[in-house]
Amino acid sequence: MKNKTDERQDKAEAWFDKLEKYAKEKKMPARILDEIEECRERLSSSEVDWHEMNLMVRELLESIEEKACPEVVQGKQSKQEVTVQEVEEQVRRMAQRCHAENITSVESMGEQKNILLKKNYEQLMEISHTKAHLEELKNEDLYIQFFQNCKSAYERDVLDMLRDMLQSISNNYSHMLDHMRSMFQSIGGYKNGLGNEKFYREYEERRIGIDKKVQGEAETSDMGGNDLLTLGQKTGEKIKGIVSKLVRKRKILAWLPLVILLCVFAGSAIGNQEQSIEIIESAKADSDTDNSPIKEAAIDAGVNAIKSASSSVIMTVLVSIITFILALVISLSVVLIFVILLVIVIYWFYLKMLNAWCNHQICTKCGAYLKTELIQYTQNNNLSSKLDEVMENAVEEYERQYMIVLSNIFQGSSYDSSQEQEDEKSKLSFLHSEWDKIMYE
């Protein structure tokens, strides 16, 4: 079974066969054929120095490319007052200048980007002002909606910034192509196949499409808005736990006075059960005297309670409590009603104070937690880097699209030096890629 070294040598040998065949077809100089043969001899060695071999092959391919794809197309230069190289150099300078202007357009958005991020951070920090956002803290849906609103506002601001930047870049390319069109007019562009009609057809008709394409890709890219929702979901779980714990504590404290009062009543009722019965029976015996409707109803209810008493412990306690309360109604009447109303009012104020205490605790504990989390988020988040990536990708896509436009503008004209060399470059590119696979896979 062959090892990896043997397999690489076999593949390299087959590759040199293809290269030699190509060189002979293109009638390359004997020097190049000799270099191919020298590489073959080194390849047959027991220990191949692949680093040195790679350097030799690179130099060999460059020599072949210089012979197969000369920069100046013969037969064209003599017919033009301006050479292909001069035109290409001028176009290259224009493209470089436009690229520099694009970078300036991106950098000019730096201050706007910082303002946008600062605005987003301030909007996020609003939730840490818990007194103003108590409802959001107590309602999970409202809490998540707060972060959804932050996300929507952030993405809206980002898209406005991107539209400004892309408009600036579009203007840069418009100016570049206007200068290019003027240049070709000055050197006889019509004569060489580059009139205004070609510029209009290849650029003007595609400009709006390019703008929409690049802007659409920018709008669907990851600008960091989902990070805000992730932050809301992460902190929401903790907030929910804090609020639930405090609400449970508030409910327990709300029921506690009633439980204590019930226990006191039960103890007093059991201890004074006989006295309560005597009061009710005495009031019944004196029923001919002038009693109030409340007292008469209490007497009847007390008698019925005494009659319904059973041996059950629970029933005994309930009857004791009922008879005790009714005895109080019979003996105190109006005074007792006032006392009951007073107790109700005091309990209502107690519930109000308890609710205020609970809300204060929610605001304090949630506020401390949120401030810590949000400060950490603003220090560690990658919104800025994501925005930079979106902006850079938009510029790169613009440049790629306009390079396609430029290649179409030159296609078929006297300045299209690639027209006669495209097949050769394609073949050489394939040989390059095959050699790279042999070296690096």
Side-chain angles (χ1 to χ4, degrees):
M1 184 176 182
K2 290 185 178 182
N3 57 36
K4 289 186 177 180
T5 302
D6 293 336
E7 288 181 2
R8 177 186 276 187
Q9 286 178 300
D10 291 343
K11 289 179 180 178
E13 182 67 33
W15 184 82
F16 278 117
D17 289 341
K18 292 181 183 179
L19 184 64
E20 185 178 24
K21 181 180 178 182
Y22 177 81
K24 288 179 179 179
E25 286 177 354
K26 296 301 172 185
K27 298 179 180 180
M28 293 288 166
R31 175 182 61 81
I32 291 178
L33 295 175
D34 290 341
E35 289 178 4
I36 294 175
E37 188 59 33
E38 183 182 351
C39 289
R40 284 182 183 278
E41 291 176 1
R42 289 176 179 270
L43 187 65
S44 62
S45 173
S46 58
E47 292 185 3
V48 181
D49 187 341
W50 287 102
H51 177 70
E52 185 178 351
M53 176 68 73
N54 188 39
L55 293 176
M56 291 178 65
V57 170
R58 299 291 178 190
E59 291 177 0
L60 181 58
L61 287 172
E62 286 180 7
S63 298
I64 292 174
E65 188 170 3
E66 287 176 1
K67 297 294 182 182
C69 305
E71 289 297 322
V72 181
V73 181
Q74 298 298 325
K76 292 181 179 180
Q77 191 171 355
S78 60
K79 297 178 182 179
Q80 296 176 186
E81 296 179 1
V82 181
T83 65
V84 172
Q85 295 100 317
E86 290 172 332
V87 171
E88 289 178 346
E89 178 64 18
Q90 186 65 20
V91 170
R92 184 181 64 81
R93 288 178 180 174
M94 288 183 181
Q96 287 178 342
R97 190 181 305 116
C98 185
H99 176 73
E101 290 173 351
N102 292 340
I103 298 301
T104 302
S105 296
V106 174
E107 292 175 349
S108 67
M109 293 290 148
E111 183 63 25
Q112 188 173 342
K113 183 191 76 171
N114 292 335
I115 293 173
L116 184 155
L117 291 174
K118 183 180 179 182
K119 176 184 175 183
N120 175 250
Y121 296 154
E122 289 176 349
Q123 188 174 8
L124 281 176
M125 290 300 294
E126 273 296 313
I127 195 68
S128 66
H129 301 157
T130 48
K131 288 184 179 180
H133 295 278
L134 182 60
E135 289 302 315
E136 285 89 340
L137 298 177
K138 296 169 75 172
N139 186 309
E140 187 176 4
D141 292 336
L142 292 178
Y143 185 82
I144 295 298
Q145 186 60 46
F146 172 85
F147 285 89
Q148 179 64 55
N149 293 340
C150 291
K151 174 179 180 288
S152 299
Y154 167 75
E155 291 180 341
R156 185 168 55 251
D157 291 341
V158 169
L159 291 178
D160 289 341
M161 181 187 70
L162 287 176
R163 289 189 190 101
D164 292 342
M165 185 195 74
L166 295 178
Q167 183 61 51
S168 177
I169 293 174
S170 180
N171 292 338
N172 294 339
Y173 275 105
S174 295
H175 296 151
M176 181 193 76
L177 290 171
D178 286 342
H179 293 156
M180 196 176 294
R181 177 162 48 188
S182 298
M183 179 192 72
F184 281 111
Q185 286 176 348
S186 67
I187 63 174
Y190 276 104
K191 180 176 61 178
N192 296 304
L194 277 175
N196 282 338
E197 298 85 357
K198 190 168 183 63
F199 270 89
Y200 178 82
R201 184 171 62 254
E202 297 296 344
Y203 169 63
E204 296 294 343
E205 292 183 351
R206 292 188 59 182
R207 179 174 57 82
I208 297 176
I210 292 174
D211 291 348
K212 287 183 178 179
K213 181 179 186 301
V214 176
Q215 184 170 313
E217 290 180 356
E219 290 176 356
T220 56
S221 59
D222 181 12
M223 297 177 286
N226 290 330
D227 292 356
L228 302 177
L229 284 183
T230 301
L231 176 65
Q233 292 165 354
K234 172 190 171 185
T235 56
E237 291 297 321
K238 180 70 174 180
I239 294 297
K240 183 180 179 181
I242 294 173
V243 173
S244 298
K245 184 176 180 181
L246 289 171
V247 168
R248 283 196 302 271
K249 191 172 183 179
R250 186 201 67 194
K251 289 180 178 178
I252 292 172
L253 293 174
W255 281 100
L256 187 60
L258 296 178
V259 173
I260 294 173
L261 185 62
L262 183 62
C263 291
V264 171
F265 262 105
S268 300
I270 293 171
N272 299 282
Q273 184 176 13
E274 293 183 0
Q275 184 177 357
S276 299
I277 293 172
E278 289 177 1
I279 292 172
I280 293 172
E281 289 178 344
S282 174
K284 178 65 177 174
D286 298 335
S287 59
D288 292 338
T289 62
D290 185 20
N291 289 326
S292 66
I294 295 176
K295 187 177 289 188
E296 289 179 359
I299 292 170
D300 293 338
V303 172
N304 292 333
I306 294 170
K307 291 179 180 179
S308 63
S310 67
S311 59
S312 171
V313 175
I314 296 176
M315 286 300 299
T316 300
V317 172
L318 289 175
V319 169
S320 299
I321 294 172
I322 292 171
T323 53
F324 179 73
I325 293 173
L326 293 174
L328 288 177
V329 172
I330 292 169
S331 59
L332 300 177
S333 188
V334 177
V335 176
L336 182 63
I337 294 173
F338 174 77
V339 171
I340 291 172
L341 290 176
L342 181 61
V343 169
I344 291 173
V345 171
I346 292 172
Y347 183 65
W348 180 79
F349 274 107
Y350 171 75
L351 292 179
K352 292 282 288 183
M353 291 176 62
L354 187 61
N355 191 59
W357 171 85
C358 181
N359 290 340
H360 176 72
Q361 289 295 308
I362 290 173
C363 292
T364 301
K365 294 186 176 182
C366 290
Y369 166 73
L370 285 172
K371 284 178 181 177
T372 301
E373 285 293 320
L374 293 174
I375 290 173
Q376 184 177 356
Y377 173 79
T378 55
Q379 291 174 345
N380 300 333
N381 85 91
N382 57 353
L383 287 185
S384 181
S385 60
K386 286 188 175 181
L387 282 183
D388 289 339
E389 184 178 354
V390 170
M391 295 162 74
E392 289 169 4
N393 289 341
V395 174
E396 289 177 3
E397 181 60 19
Y398 246 112
E399 293 184 342
R400 191 181 73 83
Q401 291 294 326
Y402 275 99
M403 287 305 103
I404 294 174
V405 172
L406 282 179
S407 65
N408 290 338
I409 287 174
F410 288 111
Q411 190 175 16
S413 72
S414 299
Y415 304 102
D416 184 14
S417 61
S418 65
Q419 191 172 26
E420 299 175 11
Q421 302 175 13
E422 190 172 348
D423 291 341
E424 303 309 321
K425 287 185 177 180
S426 177
K427 291 176 183 178
L428 288 171
S429 177
F430 180 72
L431 288 170
H432 270 286
S433 63
E434 281 198 327
W435 179 253
D436 287 339
K437 288 180 181 178
I438 293 170
M439 287 301 301
Y440 303 116
E441 287 188 356

